[in-house]
Amino acid sequence: MPSEQKRFLRALAGETLAIPPIWLMRQAGRYLPEYRATRTEAGSFLDLCYNPKLACEVTLQPLRRYDFDAAILFSDILVIPQALGQELAFKQGEGPQLDPIRDASGLSRLNIDKIHETLGPVYETVSLLSDAIPAHTALIGFAGAPWTVATYMVEGKGSKDFANIRRFAYGDPEGFSKLIDILVEATTQYLLRQVAAGAECIQLFETWGGVLSENGFHRWVIEPTRRIVANLKAVHPDVPVIGFPRGAGLHLIDFKTLTGVDAVGLDSGVPLKWVAENLQKLGPVQGNLDPMYLITGGDEMLAEVRRILDVLGNGPFIFNLGHGITPETPPENVGLLVDYIRAQK
Ligand code: CP3
């Protein structure tokens, strides 16, 4: 099947489909018993990320259950800092831990020259997937956007207030921009290799963009994203890019128009009527069911899905969550969601 006929890519190209394509962020993950079994087989989460055969297997698992319109490469946004030389560990139940870089002097620990030695297995996963996914399913590659990856590099772990990175970025913008420059370059190279290996679309995860001031958002979210998109488009003008600037609020219009992304992912807090009237005119949108509804399930979930379809279904739209699926999600609720959407009109 020519790729332009894949429903997911048609929606990304601006087509309005009666039944929107659907995939879910973190669709491969701990809510699936078969994922937990494969992770155990791999040894650890990071071992799984760097094991092409098993990473391919966990990417395919949710497709077998729900026949999603897109598969997303199984990896993590934090393989980039690791490939740059920063130590990374995932302790079970605690999230990521990195040896933090608190100021510009820490940048000497990073080396961009050898990233592909670490990232090679990820490209191999993309290539295996490209052969293994069903003909109607699109393959999404991804990376974290520079600001979000930098939050983990500077804080050393997840954060509630992002005090260390805001202090670095606001207090020493020249020094901080060197970190962002390294991430723009590494991310560009990483994504170009994913496309060369068979990724048909790229999503950039900007999970923590919402913590920045107005100027900060332009300088550390919009500008680095714009550079990555331009770098990708210079080589692969036809590969669509989805930007997911979580918490961007009123910045969404500037984000869309200034970065050059093809489509915008919406978090669950964005008012949908505003999106339909303002943002969706500029290009396809993706989102935005609150993942908590997948835990509650039932009629409340379906009513919320109905509301999203009613408001966004009349323009180019891809159904997704407003953030990643959580480990507590009963798999049958995902089945209910997918069946409901596919039973439209
Ligand atoms: O969506 C997919 O199915 C593809 C795989 C994927 C993972 N992480 C796998 C993962 C993707 C696209 C990501 C992106 C990611 N990783 C983001 C951006 C999106 C978001 O969720 O905000 C961020 C911030 C990370 C960093 C990260 N990875 C954190 C903070 C954690 C720990 C928190 C948690 O959810 O456990 C991870 C671990 C992680 N990444 C898991 C998975 C399946 C769970 C690890 C496990 O199996 O124990």
Side-chain angles (χ1 to χ4, degrees):
M1 183 182 294
S3 62
E4 57 269 25
Q5 288 177 15
K6 296 185 182 186
R7 289 165 38 76
F8 173 80
L9 296 175
R10 283 167 56 194
L12 272 182
E15 205 179 312
T16 302
L17 302 177
I19 297 174
I22 171 170
W23 71 282
L24 305 180
M25 292 187 278
R26 293 274 180 101
Q27 63 192 21
R30 286 162 291 181
Y31 75 108
L32 292 177
E34 59 269 36
Y35 168 84
R36 298 195 296 269
T38 310
R39 190 187 59 185
T40 303
E41 186 187 339
S44 71
F45 170 65
L46 277 176
D47 289 330
L48 180 54
C49 289
Y50 293 117
N51 182 322
K53 197 172 139 277
L54 296 183
C56 176
E57 165 59 22
V58 293
T59 308
L60 297 174
Q61 287 168 349
L63 304 182
R64 292 187 194 117
R65 281 185 183 244
Y66 311 113
D67 191 24
F68 286 121
D69 293 283
I72 181 161
L73 160 70
F74 189 85
S75 178
D76 197 81
I77 65 166
L78 299 180
V79 297
I80 285 290
Q82 190 174 42
L84 287 167
Q86 195 175 11
E87 258 173 61
L88 169 69
F90 278 90
K91 301 232 167 85
Q92 196 89 37
E94 282 184 43
Q97 290 182 6
L98 300 95
D99 189 8
I101 293 175
R102 291 277 154 84
D103 54 38
S105 70
L107 299 178
S108 60
R109 279 156 47 198
L110 305 177
N111 178 3
I112 198 169
D113 298 334
K114 292 188 177 161
I115 57 170
H116 303 304
E117 286 177 16
T118 303
L119 299 171
V122 179
Y123 312 139
E124 176 65 21
T125 306
V126 176
S127 158
L128 291 178
L129 280 168
S130 171
D131 292 334
I133 58 172
H136 60 276
T137 311
L139 180 55
I140 305 172
F142 77 91
W147 167 259
T148 290
V149 174
T151 63
Y152 291 95
M153 297 177 79
V154 173
E155 300 290 341
K157 53 184 177 3
S159 176
K160 286 201 167 64
D161 59 6
F162 299 90
N164 293 298
I165 189 167
R166 287 186 297 128
R167 190 182 305 129
F168 185 0
Y170 298 166
D172 179 17
E174 292 313 310
F176 186 71
S177 72
K178 295 199 175 76
L179 172 56
I180 293 293
D181 289 349
I182 292 169
L183 288 171
V184 166
E185 179 56 28
T187 305
T188 297
Q189 289 188 27
Y190 180 51
L191 292 174
L192 285 173
R193 292 281 189 114
Q194 289 186 30
V195 173
E200 299 167 285
C201 161
I202 294 297
Q203 175 151 323
L204 283 169
F205 288 86
E206 188 71 280
T207 305
W208 302 117
V211 306
L212 278 162
S213 68
E214 179 174 8
N215 288 342
F217 190 89
H218 276 261
R219 184 155 182 190
W220 310 121
V221 169
I222 291 182
E223 185 56 17
T225 301
R226 183 195 67 72
R227 288 164 63 195
I228 292 172
V229 173
N231 291 342
L232 295 177
K233 296 280 180 192
V235 185
H236 299 288
D238 297 331
V239 173
V241 180
I242 304 171
F244 174 48
R246 189 165 155 262
L250 288 175
H251 292 301
L252 280 166
I253 301 289
D254 277 353
F255 180 85
K256 171 70 180 85
T257 54
L258 299 177
T259 62
V261 294
D262 298 87
V264 176
L266 309 171
D267 63 64
S268 305
V270 183
L272 295 188
K273 193 159 168 280
W274 178 87
V275 170
E277 287 168 1
N278 298 284
L279 189 61
Q280 204 174 18
K281 292 192 172 65
L282 305 174
V285 294
Q286 170 178 284
N288 76 341
L289 181 70
D290 187 327
M292 188 59 75
Y293 277 107
L294 273 176
I295 296 180
T296 64
D299 290 343
E300 284 75 17
M301 174 180 84
L302 297 183
E304 179 68 358
V305 172
R306 181 73 265 155
R307 182 181 78 89
I308 295 170
L309 293 173
D310 286 345
V311 185
L312 296 182
N314 302 313
F317 175 53
I318 295 159
F319 195 93
N320 205 312
L321 304 176
H323 197 196
I325 196 166
T326 58
E328 300 78 27
T329 301
E332 58 271 23
N333 286 348
V334 178
L336 182 66
L337 169 74
V338 171
D339 289 348
Y340 181 83
I341 289 172
R342 298 220 163 120
Q344 299 311 297
K345 295 177 214 165

